[in-house]
Amino acid sequence: MKIILRYANTYKKALVIALFLMVVELVIELVQPIIMARIIDDGILQEDLQTVYFYGAILLGISILAFVGGIISSFYASEVSQGVGYDMRRDMFERVQMFSVMKIKQFATSTLLTRLTNDVTQVQGLLFASMRIMLRAPLFIIFGIIMSFTLNVTLGLLLIASVPIILIIMVFLMTKGMKLFRKVQEKMDTVNRVIQENLIAIKLIKAFQRRKFENQRFSDVNQSLKDVNKKALWVMEIVMPIVMLVMNVVLIAIIWLGNVQLEGGNAQAGEVVAVINYATRILASFGVFSFLLMNVSRGRTSAKRIEEILMEDTDDSISGEEKLSIRGDVSFDNVSFRYPEANEQSLANINLDVRAGEKVGIIGETGSGKTTLLHLIPYLYEATSGTIKIDDEDIRKLKNRVRYDITLVPQEGFLFSGTILDNIRWGNEDLAQELVVQAAKEAQLHEFIMGLPNGYDTFVGQRGVNLSGGQKQRLSIARALADNPKILLLDDSTSALDADTEKRVLQAIRERKCTTFLVSQKISSVIDADIILLLENGKTVAKGTHQQLLQESSLYRRIWDSQRREQVDIDG
């Protein structure tokens, strides 16, 4: 809960105004039964209309004041709660942006989405309720009992006796409810994960006729969420009937005892009515607690989940240092890497020296560590042991600054909602149009773009759903080239291109004279590389030019012969 107070402190002025006006409402609500008692005792029973009109006018005036104060208080309470929600989402998003790739994998995407949306909404609801109801309700109960006690000691004692019973029940149920609502949020994460997987893989689901299976899978997690949520709500909702039972018994006792005192001349009608009024309003305040407890349980659970993100250590930082400019020399010195929780190393004792402008081809079977090696260069992963240097500088010192002149193109070209122009300029919004066109030409995409009705202003759907795999790859390459990198990392990102198009794209990249690392399944894609690295089970089994490897590596020769035979079969 401390995190909520820390964020709310930013809106101290609005918070103070909202709480002050809430106190005004509370004072008026506490005074109203006293005024009503005066109307009854000094006005109605004495048949003094002047007194009735006088106190009636006061009652009307303070009621209007409470009404206006309530509206203004709600306005400022909304400003605080919405502002805190905005700040939390902003800070969590920035925090996640500074997580390393490895750190992000520790949190499922679905739980990050839930925490950024649903959990923040729960905290906003808790904060708003705190300023409008949560403080007001217990304060009215405390001061209402005190006021009742000052009016009639005997009747006030009945109210005091009921409070501990109700509080014990509420504390017990709130503790149980918090545990259940944490499970609810976890179940919500699971539901979001299933939804996300289905939306992303909808084509695959249709192709494999898995609609029935996925419907059942969603039904199972949805049912689980429903069951836990129902149990949590049942625990919280049972508060109201218990409170009503206890308070109604107390209310009946007050009415009975008040009647006895009236008949005995030990009390005035007005003070009995005032105590009954306080008891009724206290009952209503306790009734609000079932709603408040639900907000507190959910809000505290959500606040803890938000705090987990905000307090998590970051691996990246937003550096105030000047942009790093590199030449493009890269060296690996006995570099090994192992994923957390993995039993074996993904890379073992990799040694490699690359001069600026050279092309490095990385080949090997699936799972041999090709992509992992690529991700070490821009410091997306940190090597478990060994040293990686860029221009003779250890990247552990450079950290995320090393990425200024390094661009990675993944195998699946990820595109953002917007135009083709927006996607090529992504990260370089001020890039001149002629440079955009040049990058598109080098990626062999310009003619395709010009054939579209709106050219470079053609809208690309989320993840490029209206483009083919090859078009997305070429657009991703164009975006990378537009960034004018000194080191270009291509993670099998020409796999969807035909041989002729791939050859022209790679030739255009070659002419840029940037250091290029190309992961590929095909030797033909890396045949002209200055260095070819053959990986097997995370280890270097061969290294050299194409001709050197043909002479020195039997494994490389087998792969080359196999791929040539496959190509002959296809051409034949």
Side-chain angles (χ1 to χ4, degrees):
M1 298 293 281
K2 289 181 181 178
I3 192 169
I4 298 177
L5 295 176
R6 190 174 80 234
Y7 275 92
N9 192 52
T10 306
Y11 302 90
K12 190 181 295 183
K13 181 180 177 181
L15 180 64
V16 169
I17 293 173
L19 291 176
F20 172 75
L21 292 174
M22 181 273 295
V23 172
V24 171
E25 287 183 277
L26 173 64
V27 171
I28 291 172
E29 198 171 358
L30 287 167
V31 170
Q32 283 175 335
I34 302 293
I35 297 175
M36 291 172 66
R38 298 279 70 79
I39 292 174
I40 293 171
D41 291 336
D42 300 339
I44 296 174
L45 293 180
Q46 301 298 324
E47 298 183 354
D48 185 353
L49 288 178
Q50 202 65 30
T51 300
V52 173
Y53 292 149
F54 175 74
Y55 282 112
I58 293 175
L59 189 62
L60 178 62
I62 62 175
S63 297
I64 293 173
L65 178 62
F67 171 73
V68 174
I71 292 175
I72 298 173
S73 177
S74 294
F75 172 80
Y76 282 104
S78 296
E79 181 180 337
V80 175
S81 62
Q82 293 303 314
V84 167
Y86 169 85
D87 292 344
M88 280 184 168
R89 280 190 294 268
R90 177 201 62 205
D91 291 350
M92 275 199 292
F93 186 81
E94 289 180 356
R95 196 77 176 179
V96 171
Q97 290 285 312
M98 291 193 290
F99 286 172
S100 68
V101 175
M102 198 67 69
K103 182 77 71 178
I104 289 175
K105 287 185 176 181
Q106 294 177 16
F107 293 94
T109 304
S110 54
T111 189
L112 290 175
L113 288 172
T114 304
R115 295 181 198 218
L116 278 160
T117 53
N118 184 266
D119 283 332
V120 172
T121 301
Q122 296 296 341
V123 168
Q124 286 178 304
L126 173 61
L127 194 55
F128 183 84
S130 297
M131 289 180 284
R132 294 296 300 131
I133 308 170
M134 197 171 296
L135 292 175
R136 183 174 161 187
L139 286 174
F140 184 86
I141 292 170
I142 293 169
F143 288 104
I145 290 173
I146 293 172
M147 298 291 284
S148 299
F149 195 77
T150 58
L151 288 169
N152 190 302
V153 175
T154 306
L155 299 181
L157 286 173
L158 281 175
L159 277 175
I160 293 173
S162 65
V163 171
I165 300 171
I166 296 173
L167 286 178
I168 290 170
I169 294 170
M170 286 186 165
V171 169
F172 170 76
L173 291 174
M174 187 175 77
T175 304
K176 192 173 182 63
M178 283 181 62
K179 294 177 181 177
L180 287 170
F181 277 121
R182 186 165 187 88
K183 288 185 178 179
V184 168
Q185 296 301 87
E186 290 170 356
K187 296 293 183 183
M188 183 72 73
D189 291 344
T190 306
V191 169
N192 282 344
R193 186 182 72 245
V194 173
I195 293 172
Q196 183 187 33
E197 287 175 355
N198 271 261
L199 293 177
I200 292 173
I202 189 65
K203 293 180 181 178
L204 199 62
I205 291 167
K206 290 179 178 295
F208 278 79
Q209 290 292 324
R210 300 290 282 177
R211 185 170 59 87
K212 184 177 179 181
F213 174 82
E214 290 299 327
N215 283 343
Q216 184 59 50
R217 189 161 74 107
F218 178 77
S219 178
D220 291 342
V221 296
N222 197 25
Q223 182 67 39
S224 181
L225 172 62
K226 172 190 168 186
D227 292 342
V228 175
N229 208 4
K230 188 166 65 174
K231 187 176 181 180
L233 291 173
W234 182 85
V235 168
M236 304 311 297
E237 291 296 339
I238 200 174
V239 172
M240 189 62 180
I242 294 174
V243 170
M244 290 289 289
L245 175 63
V246 175
M247 288 304 298
N248 280 326
V249 170
V250 173
L251 197 57
I252 291 170
I254 289 173
I255 294 171
W256 176 79
L257 189 57
N259 181 59
V260 172
Q261 289 183 335
L262 284 172
E263 290 178 349
N266 298 320
Q268 291 182 303
E271 69 183 42
V272 173
V273 170
V275 173
I276 292 173
N277 200 320
Y278 280 123
T280 304
R281 296 189 185 202
I282 288 171
L283 172 62
S285 296
F286 271 121
V288 170
F289 265 95
S290 61
F291 165 75
L292 294 179
L293 287 176
M294 192 183 307
N295 271 269
V296 169
S297 299
R298 288 189 168 187
R300 287 191 65 178
T301 298
S302 294
K304 287 180 181 178
R305 284 160 54 86
I306 290 170
E307 191 171 17
E308 286 174 5
I309 299 295
L310 294 174
M311 299 305 291
E312 185 70 41
D313 292 334
T314 58
D315 302 275
D316 285 355
S317 61
I318 299 175
S319 176
E321 299 177 61
E322 293 183 6
K323 178 179 176 180
L324 180 68
S325 181
I326 63 177
R327 296 189 308 274
D329 295 336
V330 181
S331 69
F332 283 69
D333 183 13
N334 285 322
V335 172
S336 298
F337 178 80
R338 181 171 60 193
Y339 287 97
E341 311 301 328
N343 295 323
E344 298 180 357
Q345 291 181 327
S346 297
L347 292 172
N349 302 319
I350 302 297
N351 289 282
L352 182 65
D353 287 301
V354 183
R355 292 191 298 273
E358 288 187 332
K359 178 179 178 181
V360 180
I362 306 172
I363 62 173
E365 62 184 10
T366 302
S368 59
K370 303 185 298 297
T371 297
T372 301
L373 187 149
L374 219 59
H375 286 176
L376 291 173
I377 297 172
Y379 203 66
L380 296 178
Y381 300 154
E382 184 177 348
T384 308
S385 63
T387 305
I388 302 173
K389 292 183 178 180
I390 305 291
D391 295 348
D392 296 325
E393 283 279 350
D394 191 332
I395 63 169
R396 287 189 178 92
K397 295 179 181 178
L398 302 174
K399 293 192 173 181
N400 56 308
R401 290 181 66 220
V402 77
R403 299 174 196 151
Y404 279 118
D405 281 332
I406 299 178
T407 302
L408 171 67
V409 184
Q411 180 177 8
E412 182 184 356
F414 190 96
L415 304 180
F416 297 86
S417 296
T419 64
I420 290 176
L421 181 63
D422 293 334
N423 271 276
I424 296 178
R425 278 179 171 168
W426 190 74
N428 294 279
E429 288 78 9
D430 298 325
L431 193 67
Q433 179 74 24
E434 57 268 22
L435 295 178
V436 171
V437 172
Q438 178 187 341
K441 286 180 177 178
E442 291 173 334
Q444 307 303 307
L445 195 65
H446 178 69
E447 290 184 10
F448 163 74
I449 295 172
M450 296 309 295
L452 297 172
N454 297 317
Y456 282 85
D457 292 322
T458 300
F459 186 82
V460 178
Q462 189 178 27
R463 297 176 66 90
V465 293
N466 50 345
L467 297 177
S468 69
Q471 290 162 352
K472 285 191 284 188
Q473 282 191 339
R474 282 182 285 161
L475 187 47
S476 296
I477 292 171
R479 179 170 61 202
L481 294 177
D483 198 37
N484 194 29
K486 296 295 177 61
I487 299 177
L488 179 61
L489 310 174
L490 302 172
D491 188 6
D492 207 10
S493 45
T494 60
S495 58
L497 307 184
D498 62 79
D500 184 55
T501 302
E502 181 187 38
K503 184 178 180 180
R504 283 185 277 131
V505 169
L506 294 178
Q507 179 57 36
I509 293 173
R510 191 67 142 148
E511 290 174 0
R512 282 212 170 211
K513 302 188 183 306
C514 59
T515 306
T516 305
F517 288 78
L518 174 60
V519 167
S520 181
Q521 300 289 342
K522 301 176 294 185
I523 291 178
S524 59
S525 301
V526 299
I527 196 169
D528 65 334
D530 300 291
I531 304 172
I532 298 175
L533 203 63
L534 176 58
L535 298 179
E536 186 176 38
N537 297 323
K539 298 178 181 178
T540 303
V541 294
K543 181 173 62 176
T545 64
H546 174 68
Q547 293 300 327
Q548 288 173 335
L549 293 182
L550 284 177
Q551 295 174 7
E552 300 170 5
S553 172
S554 58
L555 175 59
Y556 186 85
R557 283 196 302 273
R558 286 199 303 272
I559 296 172
W560 174 240
D561 291 340
S562 174
Q563 291 185 359
R564 281 199 302 174
R565 283 196 299 271
E566 289 176 4
Q567 187 61 45
V568 169
D569 291 340
I570 293 171
D571 294 340

